Amino acid sequence: DAGVIQSPRHEVTEMGQEVTLRCKPISGHNSLFWYRQTMMRGLELLIYFNNNVPIDDSGMPEDRFSAKMPNASFSTLKIQPSEPRDSAVYFCASREPTGETQYFGPGTRLLVL
Amino acid sequence: TQLLEQSPQFLSIQEGENLTVYCNSSSVFSSLQWYRQEPGEGPVLLVTVVTGGEVKKLKRLTFQFGDARKDSSLHITAAQPGDTGLYLCAGAGAGGTSYGKLTFGQGTILTVHP
């Protein structure tokens, strides 16, 4: 079975540009999580969805960040406008209804110049 | 806000040595998970401990959950170069607004030299 799929794997953009990160969770999983990982702050939860509904977005840094989950098999994290301090690895993870294990995707490495 | 402090942050040892990584918090967690992350990949779950005082073994790795469910440790016996990676502990929220969320420690970067 395919794991969590993220795209793109790498993204280099210039400050001020819009960035869209994409995630396809594991089929049958009903919770989806977006994380950001940096050396300074470690792995931080940005937002998580349950049954396509945002449950907790308290980790979203500011209004420049937004996330959507239009259906059970797709989610996006958008940064507009992007800034150099947004440079990080962004992970998506999904979890099945009755479990506590989160399955992580390979991440998107974002560099904002 | 639930916080997890992980120590040490960096660990560089020789093959064959033993090591222990600690994960501490002032908060109670419903469970605690240990993940391992290799460069260029996402974290992968190693083990989940649920009961206070629980000990789980995974080959040369021993995981322990504190009696009060606020802390945990990972002990590796006779470390091998293949154990090199980033080890992360993560606490699962006990309820309320924390339910369903994982709080991650800062991680321990382990390097095992041949």
Side-chain angles (χ1 to χ4, degrees):
Chain A
D1 289 337
V4 174
I5 299 172
Q6 290 188 249
S7 65
R9 291 295 308 275
H10 303 271
E11 178 81 31
V12 181
T13 190
E14 293 186 344
M15 185 174 70
Q17 296 298 306
E18 177 179 296
V19 175
T20 299
L21 310 181
R22 297 173 176 79
C23 175
K24 176 179 171 55
I26 295 172
S27 177
H29 287 195
N30 71 332
S31 295
L32 184 141
F33 305 81
W34 281 102
Y35 291 90
R36 177 173 66 178
Q37 186 175 42
T38 61
M39 282 296 294
M40 290 297 295
R41 301 174 68 91
L43 197 61
E44 302 174 282
L45 177 65
L46 300 177
I47 184 171
Y48 86 93
F49 295 84
N50 196 47
N51 294 324
N52 312 337
V53 175
I55 301 301
D56 186 340
D57 65 354
S58 59
M60 295 286 263
E62 48 198 271
D63 291 345
R64 297 184 298 107
F65 285 67
S66 63
K68 293 182 179 180
M69 192 164 185
N71 57 62
S73 59
F74 184 66
S75 177
T76 60
L77 177 67
K78 185 176 294 186
I79 308 173
Q80 166 63 18
S82 58
E83 296 183 3
R85 61 191 168 120
D86 301 330
S87 298
V89 182
Y90 291 80
F91 287 101
C92 174
S94 69
R95 187 183 68 198
E96 59 188 355
T98 58
E100 286 195 341
T101 303
Q102 293 187 18
Y103 296 84
F104 284 77
T108 294
R109 279 148 190 80
L110 174 64
L111 177 62
V112 183
L113 303 174
Chain B
T1 302
Q2 296 181 308
L3 295 174
L4 271 172
E5 292 187 4
Q6 200 170 330
S7 63
Q9 199 172 350
F10 301 95
L11 203 49
S12 180
I13 62 173
Q14 293 296 126
E15 181 176 1
E17 292 184 14
N18 301 332
L19 66 111
T20 302
V21 178
Y22 299 94
C23 186
N24 296 291
S25 174
S26 58
S27 303
V28 175
F29 294 99
S30 63
S31 67
L32 202 136
Q33 302 176 7
W34 285 92
Y35 288 79
R36 179 165 171 260
Q37 184 179 10
E38 296 194 30
E41 299 181 8
V44 176
L45 180 70
L46 293 173
V47 78
T48 301
V49 285
V50 179
T51 307
E54 182 177 5
V55 177
K56 279 192 175 179
K57 292 191 175 183
L58 189 65
K59 297 183 180 178
R60 293 175 294 100
L61 279 60
T62 301
F63 305 85
Q64 187 162 4
F65 202 11
D67 291 340
R69 307 207 325 269
K70 293 182 179 180
D71 56 89
S72 181
S73 64
L74 157 61
H75 182 79
I76 301 179
T77 303
Q80 299 178 0
D83 296 327
T84 294
L86 172 66
Y87 289 81
L88 296 157
C89 64
T97 58
S98 298
Y99 181 76
K101 295 169 59 172
L102 287 179
T103 300
F104 280 85
Q106 284 288 86
T108 295
I109 298 175
L110 171 65
T111 304
V112 182
H113 302 279

